[in-house]
Amino acid sequence: MEERTKEQEFLIKQEDKPALAQSSPKQVRLAISAFYFMQGVCFASWASRIPTFKASMGLNDAELGSILFALPAGQIITMFFSAKLTTHFGSKKMLRATAPLYAIALTFLALATTGWQLAAFLVLFGITGNLCNIALNTQGVAGENYYGKPIMSSFHGAWSIGNLTGALIALGLVNLKLGMYTHFWMIALISLTNVLFNAKKLLNYNKPDIVVEKTKFFTMPQGILVLLGVIAFCSMATEGTMFDWSAIYFEDVVKLPHNKAIVGYASFMFMMASGRFMGVYLIGKFGRKNLLQISGAIISLGMALAVIFPYLITAIFGFMLIGLGVSSIVPMVYSIAGNNKKVPAGKAITMVSSIGYFAFLFGPPLIGYISQLSSLRYSFGIISVFGMLIIFLVTKIREIN
C-alpha cells in the first residue's frame, strides 16, 4: 500500500468514518466545488424566473408570498431524516442519487400553469434540494478537513458563482425569448453531465470501526448549535429575500423593465460569490467572530441604502453590500457546527440548518404579506434588522475562534 501524504491522513469527522480517498486533495476540492456550482445554477434558474411566473399567472405580492411557502416547506419535510440518510448511505452515494433528482425536479416547475401546480412542484423541488444540500455540505466539511485548510467558504463561493451564472443564463434566454421548459432542461442536462464526470472523485468512507451510540431519530439542537442556527436564520432570511424578491424589487420599486430586472439579483450574487472566495483570507485577517459581526453590519447598511435610495445605482450598490455581508456567514456557521466535538458533522449541520431553513419558510412569504399591506420598500427595510441581530448574537458565543 502506498504511503499517504500528511494531507491524506486527516480524519473526516462527519459520519464518524475514515476517508477512502481515490483522488488527490485538489481533485476532491474541484469535484465538490463542481457540485456546489451546479446546485447554484439550478436554484438561480428557478429564482431568476420568478417575475415570469408572477406575471404569467397574474399573482399579486401576497399570492406569490403564499406560493413561496412551498419550496422551504419541502426542505423542512426532509430535514428530519436527511441526516440519517446521509449518515447511513454516505454523502457520496447520496449526492449521486439526489443531484440528478434535483435537476429533474427543476424541469417540472416549467410545467406549472396555475398557482397550486407551481406550489406542488416547488415542494418536490424543495425535497430534492434539501436531500442534496445536506449531503453536499457534509461532503464539504469532509473535503475541508481532507484538504487541511478552511476552504468551506470557497465551496459556498462555487455555489454563488453557479447562482450568478444561472442568473446570467436566464437573463440571456429571457431576452432571446427561449421557453422556460427548454431553458430548465438545458440546465438539467448540464447537471447530469457533472454527476457523470465528478461523482467518482468525491470522498468515500469505510464502515465505522467503532460502535456509535444510538441516538434519537431527531435531536433538538442545544447550546452553541442553537445560537449558530439563529445566526444562520438571520442570514438565510436575508438571502431568501434576495433570491425571491430582488428581481421584483428592481421591477416594481426601481422601475426597471421586466427583461432587465434580473440585474438586481445578479449584482447581489456577484458580491456574494466574491465574498465567499475571499473568505479564507478574511477569516485569517479578522477571525471568525469579528468577521461575523462585520458581516451583520454590512447587511444592515446595504439594505438601508437600497431602501432609502431606491434608484438604479444606489440600489445596485446596496444589493452588492448585502451580498458581501451574507457571503461568509453560512459557510462559517456550517464549518463551526461541523467541526464541533460533541455531535457528528452531518447531524450538527442538520440541527443548525433546520433552524436556518425556517427563515426560507417564513421570510419570503412575510415579505409578500407586508408588501401587500404597505409597500415592498417597507418590507425590505424590516429585513435590515437581521444584520444587527447577528452582531448581538455573536457576542454570546465564546466557542467561535
Side-chain angles (χ1 to χ4, degrees):
M1 181 177 180
E2 294 182 3
E3 185 178 351
R4 292 182 179 178
T5 65
K6 185 177 180 179
E7 283 182 322
Q8 290 173 321
E9 289 298 332
F10 275 98
L11 292 178
I12 308 306
K13 288 178 56 184
Q14 75 279 12
E15 306 168 20
D16 292 316
K17 302 176 184 180
L20 280 179
Q22 298 177 345
S23 305
S24 69
K26 288 184 179 180
Q27 289 176 320
V28 169
R29 181 179 184 178
L30 288 173
I32 295 174
S33 296
F35 274 87
Y36 273 95
F37 176 84
M38 284 312 308
Q39 192 176 32
V41 171
C42 287
F43 183 83
S45 300
W46 141 250
S48 58
R49 288 285 195 164
I50 290 176
T52 305
F53 282 109
K54 184 174 186 285
S56 65
M57 295 181 182
L59 304 171
N60 61 38
D61 288 349
E63 290 169 338
L64 177 61
S66 297
I67 292 172
L68 292 176
F69 264 116
L71 177 57
Q75 293 169 326
I76 294 296
I77 288 172
T78 54
M79 191 65 69
F80 303 108
F81 58 85
S82 54
K84 286 283 187 180
L85 292 173
T86 299
T87 301
H88 180 75
F89 293 106
S91 56
K92 180 176 180 178
K93 288 183 178 179
M94 282 293 290
L95 274 176
R96 294 172 81 170
T98 58
L101 293 177
Y102 184 55
I104 293 172
L106 171 68
T107 67
F108 288 1
L109 298 176
L111 299 176
T113 57
T114 63
W116 72 265
Q117 289 175 344
L118 179 59
F121 289 139
L122 280 174
V123 170
L124 178 63
F125 193 53
I127 289 172
T128 56
N130 185 63
L131 289 171
C132 185
N133 179 62
I134 295 300
L136 185 55
N137 279 293
T138 302
Q139 182 76 198
V141 173
E144 182 179 58
N145 289 334
Y146 181 63
Y147 197 81
K149 293 181 181 179
I151 59 172
M152 190 68 167
S153 62
S154 73
F155 290 145
H156 285 255
W159 183 89
S160 298
I161 289 291
N163 221 296
L164 177 61
T165 302
L168 293 176
I169 291 173
L171 179 61
L173 296 182
V174 166
N175 283 277
L176 290 174
K177 302 188 185 318
L178 187 70
M180 197 185 305
Y181 189 66
T182 302
H183 169 198
F184 286 176
W185 261 112
M186 286 172 56
I187 300 302
L189 291 174
I190 296 172
S191 182
L192 294 172
T193 302
N194 170 65
V195 175
L196 290 175
F197 278 92
N198 287 305
K200 59 186 177 183
K201 298 176 185 177
L202 299 175
L203 291 171
N204 205 347
Y205 304 95
N206 282 325
K207 293 181 180 180
D209 296 325
I210 58 176
V211 177
V212 180
E213 182 182 352
K214 290 185 177 180
T215 59
K216 295 179 180 179
F217 181 75
F218 176 74
T219 306
M220 289 296 294
Q222 298 176 352
I224 183 177
L225 296 180
V226 172
L227 292 176
L228 290 174
V230 178
I231 292 172
F233 178 96
C234 294
S235 179
M236 293 167 83
T238 306
E239 290 181 39
T241 299
M242 293 293 103
F243 295 153
D244 293 350
W245 290 99
S246 58
I248 295 174
Y249 188 88
F250 267 70
E251 186 173 343
D252 293 352
V253 179
V254 183
K255 303 300 182 183
L256 277 189
H258 174 74
N259 63 341
K260 296 180 180 178
I262 298 174
V263 69
Y265 181 84
S267 62
F268 163 76
M269 288 309 310
F270 173 76
M271 285 307 295
M272 187 176 181
S274 300
R276 283 179 168 175
F277 281 108
M278 293 188 294
V280 175
Y281 168 77
L282 294 174
I283 290 171
K285 184 175 179 61
F286 297 106
R288 285 190 173 98
K289 193 163 191 173
N290 290 334
L291 185 56
L292 282 169
Q293 291 180 311
I294 292 170
S295 298
I298 292 174
I299 289 171
S300 293
L301 176 63
M303 192 70 77
L305 181 63
V307 170
I308 296 172
F309 304 102
Y311 312 111
L312 179 61
I313 301 301
T314 50
I316 287 177
F317 187 63
F319 276 33
M320 291 176 73
L321 285 177
I322 297 167
L324 181 62
V326 301
S327 62
S328 296
I329 294 176
V330 170
M332 283 192 288
V333 166
Y334 281 177
S335 183
I336 295 165
N339 285 287
N340 79 93
K341 305 296 183 181
K342 297 181 180 180
V343 183
K347 287 192 174 182
I349 291 172
T350 300
M351 289 178 182
V352 171
S353 61
S354 64
I355 299 174
Y357 270 111
F358 276 102
F360 285 149
L361 184 64
F362 295 110
L366 183 63
I367 292 293
Y369 298 146
I370 296 174
S371 175
Q372 191 68 24
L373 292 173
S374 56
S375 70
L376 195 56
R377 284 179 68 187
Y378 185 74
S379 60
F380 266 59
I382 293 175
I383 297 297
S384 65
V385 176
F386 287 124
M388 304 306 296
L389 184 56
I390 289 172
I391 298 173
F392 171 75
L393 290 170
V394 172
T395 63
K396 302 297 181 180
I397 305 179
R398 296 180 180 178
E399 293 89 341
I400 299 177
N401 54 51

